[in-house]
Coordinates of all heavy atoms in Angstrom, one line a residue:
Chain A
N6 N 111.4 32.9 113.1 CA 112.6 32.7 112.2 C 112.2 32.2 110.9 O 113.0 31.8 110.0 CB 113.6 31.7 112.9 CG 114.3 32.3 114.0 OD1 114.3 33.6 114.1 ND2 114.9 31.5 114.9
Y14 N 120.7 29.6 105.4 CA 121.2 30.3 106.6 C 122.7 30.2 106.8 O 123.3 29.2 106.9 CB 120.5 29.7 107.9 CG 121.1 30.2 109.2 CD1 120.8 31.5 109.6 CD2 121.8 29.4 110.0 CE1 121.3 32.0 110.8 CE2 122.4 29.9 111.2 CZ 122.1 31.2 111.6 OH 122.6 31.6 112.7
P16 N 125.5 31.6 109.3 CA 125.7 32.4 110.6 C 126.6 33.5 110.5 O 126.5 34.5 111.3 CB 126.2 31.3 111.5 CG 126.4 30.1 110.8 CD 125.9 30.2 109.4
W19 N 124.3 36.3 108.4 CA 122.8 36.5 108.6 C 122.5 37.6 109.6 O 123.2 37.7 110.6 CB 122.2 35.1 109.1 CG 120.8 35.2 109.3 CD1 119.8 35.2 108.4 CD2 120.1 35.5 110.6 NE1 118.6 35.3 109.0 CE2 118.7 35.5 110.3 CE3 120.6 35.7 111.9 CZ2 117.8 35.7 111.3 CZ3 119.6 35.9 112.9 CH2 118.3 35.9 112.6
T25 N 112.0 47.6 114.9 CA 111.9 49.0 115.3 C 110.6 49.2 116.1 O 109.6 48.6 115.9 CB 112.0 50.0 114.2 OG1 112.0 51.3 114.7 CG2 110.9 49.8 113.2
T28 N 110.1 56.2 118.4 CA 110.9 57.0 119.3 C 110.2 57.4 120.6 O 110.9 57.9 121.5 CB 111.3 58.3 118.5 OG1 110.2 59.0 118.1 CG2 112.2 58.0 117.4
I31 N 111.8 55.8 123.6 CA 113.2 56.3 123.8 C 113.1 57.7 124.6 O 113.8 57.9 125.6 CB 113.9 56.6 122.5 CG1 114.1 55.2 121.8 CG2 115.2 57.2 122.7 CD1 114.5 55.4 120.3
L39 N 116.5 61.1 133.5 CA 116.8 62.4 134.0 C 116.2 62.6 135.4 O 116.8 63.1 136.3 CB 116.2 63.5 133.0 CG 116.7 64.9 133.3 CD1 118.2 65.1 133.0 CD2 115.9 65.8 132.3
V46 N 120.4 63.3 143.3 CA 121.0 64.5 143.9 C 120.2 65.0 145.1 O 120.7 65.4 146.1 CB 121.1 65.6 142.8 CG1 121.6 66.9 143.4 CG2 122.0 65.2 141.7
Y49 N 120.8 62.8 148.0 CA 122.1 63.0 148.5 C 122.1 64.1 149.6 O 122.8 64.0 150.6 CB 123.1 63.5 147.4 CG 124.5 63.7 147.8 CD1 125.4 62.6 147.9 CD2 124.9 65.0 148.2 CE1 126.7 62.8 148.3 CE2 126.2 65.2 148.6 CZ 127.1 64.1 148.7 OH 128.4 64.3 149.1
T54 N 123.6 62.0 156.9 CA 124.8 61.3 156.6 C 125.1 60.2 157.5 O 125.9 59.3 157.2 CB 126.0 62.3 156.5 OG1 125.5 63.6 156.2 CG2 127.0 61.9 155.4
V57 N 124.9 55.6 156.9 CA 125.9 55.3 155.9 C 125.5 54.2 154.9 O 125.4 54.4 153.7 CB 127.3 54.9 156.5 CG1 128.3 54.6 155.5 CG2 127.8 56.1 157.4
A61 N 124.0 54.2 151.0 CA 124.7 53.3 150.0 C 123.6 52.5 149.3 O 123.6 52.4 148.0 CB 125.8 52.5 150.6
F64 N 121.3 54.5 146.9 CA 122.0 54.9 145.7 C 122.2 53.8 144.7 O 122.1 53.9 143.5 CB 123.3 55.7 145.9 CG 123.0 57.0 146.6 CD1 123.8 57.4 147.7 CD2 122.0 57.9 146.2 CE1 123.6 58.6 148.4 CE2 121.8 59.1 146.8 CZ 122.6 59.5 147.9
A72 N 119.9 51.2 135.4 CA 120.5 50.2 134.5 C 119.4 49.4 133.8 O 119.5 49.1 132.6 CB 121.3 49.3 135.4
F79 N 117.2 51.3 125.8 CA 118.3 51.7 124.9 C 119.0 50.6 124.2 O 119.4 50.6 123.0 CB 119.3 52.6 125.7 CG 118.8 54.0 126.0 CD1 119.5 54.8 126.8 CD2 117.5 54.4 125.6 CE1 119.1 56.1 127.1 CE2 117.1 55.7 125.9 CZ 117.8 56.5 126.7
M80 N 119.3 49.5 125.0 CA 120.0 48.4 124.4 C 119.1 47.3 123.9 O 119.5 46.2 123.5 CB 121.0 47.8 125.5 CG 122.0 48.8 125.9 SD 123.0 48.3 127.3 CE 124.4 47.5 126.5
E85 N 114.4 41.4 123.1 CA 115.2 40.2 122.7 C 114.6 38.9 123.2 O 113.7 38.9 124.1 CB 116.6 40.3 123.2 CG 117.4 41.6 122.8 CD 117.8 41.6 121.3 OE1 117.4 40.6 120.6 OE2 118.4 42.6 120.9
K86 N 115.1 37.8 122.7 CA 114.6 36.5 123.2 C 114.9 36.3 124.7 O 116.0 36.7 125.1 CB 115.2 35.4 122.4 CG 114.8 35.4 120.9 CD 113.9 34.2 120.6 CE 113.5 34.3 119.1 NZ 112.2 33.6 118.9
I93 N 122.7 37.2 129.6 CA 123.4 38.4 129.9 C 123.1 38.9 131.3 O 124.0 39.3 132.1 CB 123.1 39.5 128.9 CG1 123.5 39.0 127.5 CG2 123.9 40.8 129.2 CD1 124.9 38.7 127.2
I100 N 127.0 39.5 140.7 CA 127.8 40.6 140.9 C 127.2 41.6 141.9 O 127.9 42.1 142.8 CB 128.0 41.4 139.5 CG1 128.7 40.5 138.5 CG2 128.6 42.7 139.7 CD1 130.2 40.4 138.8
F103 N 127.7 40.2 145.3 CA 129.1 40.3 145.7 C 129.5 41.7 146.1 O 130.2 42.0 147.1 CB 130.0 39.9 144.5 CG 131.4 39.7 144.8 CD1 131.9 39.3 146.1 CD2 132.4 39.8 143.8 CE1 133.2 39.1 146.4 CE2 133.7 39.6 144.1 CZ 134.1 39.2 145.4
M108 N 130.9 45.5 150.3 CA 130.7 46.8 150.9 C 130.5 46.6 152.4 O 131.0 47.4 153.3 CB 129.5 47.6 150.3 CG 130.0 48.5 149.2 SD 128.7 49.1 148.1 CE 127.4 49.5 149.1
G111 N 133.9 45.3 154.1 CA 134.9 46.4 154.3 C 134.9 47.0 155.7 O 136.0 47.4 156.2
H112 N 133.8 47.0 156.3 CA 133.7 47.6 157.7 C 134.6 46.9 158.7 O 135.1 47.5 159.6 CB 132.3 47.4 158.2 CG 131.3 48.5 157.7 ND1 131.4 49.8 158.1 CD2 130.3 48.4 156.8 CE1 130.4 50.5 157.5 NE2 129.8 49.7 156.7
G115 N 139.5 47.2 158.8 CA 140.5 48.2 159.2 C 141.0 48.9 158.0 O 140.8 48.4 156.9
T116 N 141.7 50.0 158.1 CA 142.1 50.8 157.0 C 143.2 50.1 156.1 O 144.1 49.5 156.7 CB 142.6 52.2 157.4 OG1 143.7 52.0 158.3 CG2 141.6 53.0 158.0
I117 N 143.0 50.2 154.8 CA 143.9 49.6 153.9 C 144.8 50.7 153.3 O 144.2 51.6 152.7 CB 143.2 48.8 152.8 CG1 142.6 47.6 153.4 CG2 144.2 48.4 151.7 CD1 141.8 46.7 152.5
Chain B
G15 N 120.5 25.4 111.7 CA 120.0 26.1 110.5 C 119.2 27.4 110.7 O 118.6 27.9 109.8
N16 N 119.3 27.8 112.0 CA 118.8 29.2 112.2 C 119.5 29.8 113.4 O 120.4 29.2 114.0 CB 117.2 29.1 112.5 CG 116.9 28.3 113.7 OD1 117.7 28.1 114.6 ND2 115.7 27.8 113.8
S17 N 119.1 31.0 113.8 CA 119.7 31.7 114.9 C 118.8 31.5 116.1 O 117.8 32.2 116.1 CB 120.0 33.1 114.6 OG 120.4 33.8 115.7
F19 N 118.7 32.7 119.1 CA 118.3 34.0 119.8 C 117.8 35.0 118.9 O 117.6 36.2 119.3 CB 119.5 34.5 120.6 CG 119.9 33.7 121.8 CD1 121.2 33.7 122.3 CD2 119.0 32.9 122.4 CE1 121.5 32.9 123.4 CE2 119.3 32.1 123.5 CZ 120.6 32.1 124.0
N20 N 117.8 34.7 117.6 CA 117.3 35.6 116.6 C 118.1 36.9 116.5 O 117.6 38.0 116.4 CB 115.8 36.0 116.8 CG 115.2 36.6 115.5 OD1 115.6 36.2 114.4 ND2 114.3 37.5 115.7
V21 N 119.5 36.8 116.8 CA 120.4 37.9 116.6 C 121.5 37.5 115.7 O 121.8 36.3 115.6 CB 121.0 38.4 118.0 CG1 120.0 39.1 118.8 CG2 121.6 37.3 118.7
S22 N 122.2 38.4 115.1 CA 123.3 38.1 114.2 C 124.5 37.7 115.1 O 124.6 38.0 116.3 CB 123.7 39.3 113.4 OG 124.2 40.3 114.2
Y23 N 125.5 37.0 114.5 CA 126.7 36.6 115.2 C 127.4 37.8 115.8 O 127.8 37.7 117.0 CB 127.6 35.9 114.1 CG 129.0 35.6 114.6 CD1 129.2 34.6 115.4 CD2 130.1 36.4 114.2 CE1 130.5 34.3 115.9 CE2 131.3 36.1 114.6 CZ 131.6 35.1 115.5 OH 132.8 34.8 115.9
L33 N 129.3 41.7 128.6 CA 129.2 41.0 129.8 C 130.6 40.8 130.5 O 130.7 41.1 131.7 CB 128.5 39.6 129.6 CG 128.3 38.8 130.9 CD1 127.3 39.5 131.8 CD2 127.8 37.4 130.6
S40 N 132.9 45.8 137.3 CA 132.4 45.4 138.6 C 133.5 45.1 139.6 O 133.4 45.5 140.8 CB 131.5 44.1 138.5 OG 130.5 44.4 137.6
I44 N 133.7 47.0 143.0 CA 133.6 46.2 144.3 C 134.8 46.5 145.1 O 134.7 46.7 146.3 CB 133.6 44.7 143.9 CG1 132.2 44.3 143.4 CG2 133.9 43.8 145.2 CD1 132.1 42.9 142.7
A48 N 134.6 48.1 148.9 CA 135.2 47.4 150.1 C 136.2 48.4 150.7 O 136.2 48.5 152.0 CB 135.9 46.1 149.6
Y51 N 134.6 51.4 152.6 CA 134.0 51.1 153.9 C 135.0 50.5 154.9 O 134.7 50.3 156.1 CB 132.7 50.3 153.8 CG 131.6 51.1 153.2 CD1 131.2 50.9 151.9 CD2 131.1 52.1 154.0 CE1 130.2 51.7 151.4 CE2 130.1 52.9 153.5 CZ 129.6 52.7 152.2 OH 128.7 53.5 151.7
S52 N 136.2 50.3 154.5 CA 137.3 49.9 155.4 C 137.8 51.2 156.2 O 138.5 51.1 157.1 CB 138.4 49.2 154.7 OG 139.2 50.1 154.0
Y53 N 137.4 52.4 155.7 CA 137.8 53.6 156.3 C 136.5 54.2 157.1 O 135.4 53.9 156.7 CB 138.2 54.7 155.3 CG 139.6 54.5 154.8 CD1 139.9 53.7 153.7 CD2 140.7 55.1 155.5 CE1 141.2 53.5 153.3 CE2 142.0 54.9 155.1 CZ 142.2 54.1 153.9 OH 143.5 53.9 153.5
I58 N 130.5 64.0 160.1 CA 129.5 64.9 159.7 C 129.3 66.1 160.7 O 129.1 67.2 160.2 CB 128.1 64.1 159.5 CG1 127.1 65.0 158.9 CG2 127.7 63.4 160.8 CD1 127.4 65.5 157.6
D117 N 131.3 65.8 148.7 CA 130.9 67.1 148.3 C 131.9 68.2 148.7 O 131.8 69.3 148.2 CB 129.4 67.5 148.7 CG 129.2 67.5 150.2 OD1 129.9 68.3 150.9 OD2 128.4 66.7 150.7
L133 N 128.4 68.3 143.4 CA 127.5 67.5 142.6 C 127.0 68.1 141.3 O 126.5 67.4 140.5 CB 126.3 66.9 143.4 CG 126.5 65.7 144.2 CD1 125.2 65.3 144.9 CD2 127.0 64.5 143.3
S137 N 126.7 66.0 137.8 CA 125.4 65.9 137.3 C 125.3 66.3 135.8 O 124.6 65.7 135.0 CB 124.4 66.7 138.1 OG 124.4 66.2 139.5
L141 N 124.3 64.1 132.6 CA 123.3 64.6 131.7 C 123.8 64.5 130.2 O 123.2 64.0 129.3 CB 122.9 66.0 132.0 CG 121.9 66.6 131.0 CD1 120.5 65.9 131.1 CD2 121.7 68.1 131.3
V151 N 120.7 56.1 120.3 CA 119.5 55.2 120.1 C 118.6 55.7 119.0 O 118.0 54.9 118.2 CB 118.8 54.8 121.4 CG1 117.9 55.9 121.9 CG2 118.0 53.5 121.3
L152 N 118.5 57.0 118.9 CA 117.8 57.6 117.8 C 118.5 57.3 116.4 O 117.8 57.1 115.4 CB 117.6 59.1 118.0 CG 116.6 59.5 119.1 CD1 116.7 61.0 119.4 CD2 115.2 59.1 118.8
Q158 N 117.4 51.5 111.4 CA 116.4 50.5 111.2 C 115.4 50.9 110.1 O 114.8 50.0 109.4 CB 115.7 50.1 112.5 CG 116.6 49.4 113.4 CD 116.1 49.3 114.8 OE1 115.2 50.1 115.3 NE2 116.5 48.3 115.6
L255 N 125.3 49.5 121.1 CA 125.3 48.7 122.4 C 126.5 49.0 123.2 O 126.4 49.2 124.4 CB 125.4 47.2 122.0 CG 124.1 46.5 121.5 CD1 124.3 45.1 121.2 CD2 123.0 46.6 122.6
H258 N 126.0 52.5 124.8 CA 125.0 52.5 126.0 C 125.7 51.8 127.2 O 125.5 52.2 128.3 CB 123.8 51.7 125.6 CG 123.0 52.4 124.5 ND1 122.7 53.7 124.5 CD2 122.5 51.8 123.4 CE1 122.1 54.0 123.4 NE2 121.9 52.9 122.7
L262 N 126.0 53.2 130.9 CA 125.6 52.4 132.0 C 126.7 52.3 133.1 O 126.4 52.5 134.3 CB 125.3 51.0 131.5 CG 124.8 49.9 132.4 CD1 123.4 50.4 132.9 CD2 124.7 48.6 131.8
T269 N 127.4 56.9 140.9 CA 126.9 56.4 142.2 C 128.0 56.2 143.2 O 127.9 56.7 144.4 CB 126.1 55.1 142.0 OG1 125.1 55.4 141.0 CG2 125.4 54.6 143.3
L273 N 128.3 59.8 145.1 CA 127.1 59.8 146.0 C 127.4 59.0 147.3 O 127.0 59.5 148.3 CB 126.0 59.1 145.3 CG 125.4 59.9 144.0 CD1 124.4 59.1 143.3 CD2 124.9 61.2 144.4

Side-chain angles (χ1 to χ4, degrees):
Chain A
N6 287 342
Y14 171 69
W19 180 81
T25 183
T28 55
I31 298 167
L39 191 65
V46 175
Y49 182 84
T54 336
V57 178
F64 294 133
F79 287 176
M80 297 171 94
E85 302 288 1
K86 294 248 179 207
I93 302 300
I100 295 287
F103 193 27
M108 268 165 42
H112 279 289
T116 55
I117 289 178
Chain B
N16 64 21
S17 170
F19 289 157
N20 199 33
V21 287
S22 68
Y23 171 76
L33 182 64
S40 302
I44 288 166
Y51 287 108
S52 75
Y53 282 90
I58 186 65
D117 64 62
L133 275 181
S137 302
L141 177 69
V151 77
L152 289 171
Q158 288 168 338
L255 282 179
H258 298 312
L262 183 65
T269 302
L273 297 174

